[in-house]
Amino acid sequence: MDVALLFVDWLGKPMWMWLAFLAIVLALLVFDLGVLHRDNHEIEVRESLALSSLYISLGLAFGAFVWWQLGAESGMNYLTGFVVEKTLALDNVFVIALIFSFFAVPRKYQHRVLFWGILGVIVLRAIMIGLGATLVSQFSWVLYLFAIFLILTGIKMLWVGEKEPELGNNPVVNFLRRRFNVTDEHHGQAFFVKKPNARNGRMTWFMTPLFLALIMVEIADIVFAVDSVPAIFTITTDPFIVYTSNVFAILGLRALYFALAAMIHRFHYLKPALAIVLIFIGSKIFVADVLDLEKFPAAISLGVTFSIIVAGIVWSLAKTRDKPTTVSGP
């Protein structure tokens, strides 16, 4: 291999930086599935917190690497994106808990769904971010559309709220059950199982509820990416920072799911803080124009975002401290 290829720019960064990032993610996934979870078992809160701490530490360490290689502004943009993406994804945890409950996914198989869901997220986010980066590079005014969308979304979250999804009437679930063979019961960790068809007696492949849960988890991520991808693009348009902060935030949140699912009710009052963050992030581009700034200062952006989120977390924990803990799934 020609070493010079490692220093060729790809999407604005040397190829070796992209390869180093992908190598870290691949190593983490192999370690997660091949070492930590070779057997299916129920993940307890302590294990969830320990694994999440590892992912968060690695995400922050990668942020320090970005700071060192690309400068303070890029480092602060990465950290801002990392914090925003992780916090916005808390809503995703609530939806995933509903999905697991609806499909009665046993707790010892939930990690399997989340793990394979991560692979889908990495690919789907790459596609969405690639499209976003192309649009922004070709049409700079797209950033203003992203900003307006975030402001309106934040206002809607503050004043209208969001309805709990009704999975029983979900068109995707209904379509899959109508068009494909789907079992009513789980078959261990299998996504597909071969069994006699009741109509003709022939051995036929069936989807299991575990696979339907995986599909719904992927769809949920696409829905949440509609908010999170525009949010990170209004922070920075650098594809490397956008993608790496997204992936590290998602990896850490999946690890934290089993702890958060048991105490998601404690973050009930975090949604107003998330709404304010979206409004703030969306308004930055207009504030910069009014003040005749080339860019909104990255340090102020990170400080304000972090302060709003911490305030929301502290307020939520204080207001819900007497509520009982719940556990998601069978």
Side-chain angles (χ1 to χ4, degrees):
M1 179 180 176
D2 188 351
V3 177
L5 291 176
L6 296 177
F7 296 92
V8 173
D9 271 9
W10 189 66
L11 295 178
K13 295 294 177 289
M15 184 65 73
W16 71 265
M17 292 186 69
W18 286 103
L19 293 176
F21 164 71
L22 293 175
I24 293 171
V25 172
L26 180 61
L28 285 173
L29 293 176
V30 171
F31 177 70
D32 193 319
L33 186 64
V35 178
L36 296 179
H37 300 103
R38 284 177 296 180
D39 59 330
N40 293 307
H41 64 278
E42 293 188 16
I43 297 179
E44 303 297 335
V45 172
R46 180 178 297 181
E47 181 182 353
S48 175
L49 291 174
L51 187 58
S52 181
S53 297
L54 171 64
Y55 278 118
I56 291 173
S57 298
L58 290 173
L60 294 176
F62 193 84
F65 166 76
V66 170
W67 195 306
W68 173 52
Q69 282 291 322
L70 304 177
E73 182 175 356
S74 294
M76 284 185 283
N77 284 336
Y78 171 91
L79 291 175
T80 304
F82 181 77
V83 171
V84 169
E85 293 299 319
K86 183 172 286 295
T87 310
L88 286 175
L90 286 176
D91 268 355
N92 209 353
V93 170
F94 174 69
V95 173
I96 290 172
L98 288 179
I99 292 171
F100 284 159
S101 177
F102 178 79
F103 290 106
V105 177
R107 285 179 59 81
K108 66 179 180 179
Y109 300 134
Q110 290 178 3
H111 178 270
R112 176 174 169 79
V113 174
L114 292 175
F115 176 84
W116 290 107
I118 287 172
L119 298 182
V121 168
I122 290 173
V123 174
L124 290 171
R125 289 294 174 97
I127 294 172
M128 296 183 73
I129 289 170
L131 291 173
T134 302
L135 285 173
V136 170
S137 65
Q138 297 293 322
F139 310 102
S140 59
W141 51 264
V142 170
L143 280 178
Y144 291 91
L145 293 183
F146 285 168
I148 292 171
F149 173 76
L150 291 177
I151 293 171
L152 294 177
T153 301
I155 293 172
K156 177 185 174 184
M157 289 174 64
L158 276 177
W159 300 109
V160 179
E162 296 179 3
K163 294 182 179 179
E164 182 175 306
E166 298 181 7
L167 295 178
N169 297 321
N170 186 278
V172 176
V173 174
N174 291 336
F175 173 81
L176 291 173
R177 290 193 182 277
R178 285 196 312 268
R179 299 293 182 178
F180 299 93
N181 297 312
V182 180
T183 64
D184 293 324
E185 66 284 339
H186 288 278
H187 291 264
Q189 65 174 349
F191 288 131
F192 298 91
V193 64
K194 203 169 188 179
K195 56 183 289 188
N197 192 315
R199 292 191 297 271
N200 54 33
R202 296 177 182 176
M203 296 299 290
T204 307
W205 283 104
F206 282 74
M207 296 179 182
T208 68
L210 202 67
F211 186 70
L212 295 188
L214 174 60
I215 291 175
M216 294 308 298
V217 167
E218 296 290 5
I219 291 174
D221 182 75
I222 293 174
V223 173
F224 280 95
V226 172
D227 286 341
S228 63
V229 171
I232 188 67
F233 269 111
T234 54
I235 294 170
T236 176
T237 57
D238 185 330
F240 183 77
I241 296 176
V242 170
Y243 189 56
T244 55
S245 62
N246 254 261
V247 171
F248 270 112
I250 292 168
L251 286 173
L253 190 78
R254 288 296 200 267
L256 191 57
Y257 166 79
F258 296 94
L260 289 178
M263 55 184 294
I264 194 65
H265 63 286
R266 297 295 307 275
F267 297 97
H268 177 73
Y269 295 95
L270 183 59
K271 183 158 295 204
L274 296 180
I276 295 171
V277 166
L278 290 180
I279 294 171
F280 167 69
I281 291 173
S283 64
K284 288 192 308 172
I285 188 170
F286 299 106
V287 172
D289 284 348
V290 170
L291 298 179
D292 198 25
L293 300 173
E294 182 179 354
K295 288 183 179 180
F296 194 90
I300 296 177
S301 179
L302 175 60
V304 172
T305 300
F306 187 76
S307 299
I308 293 171
I309 290 171
V310 169
I313 291 173
V314 171
W315 179 254
S316 292
L317 294 177
K319 294 289 286 185
T320 60
R321 62 181 178 273
D322 296 326
K323 290 188 176 182
T325 298
T326 58
V327 178
S328 165

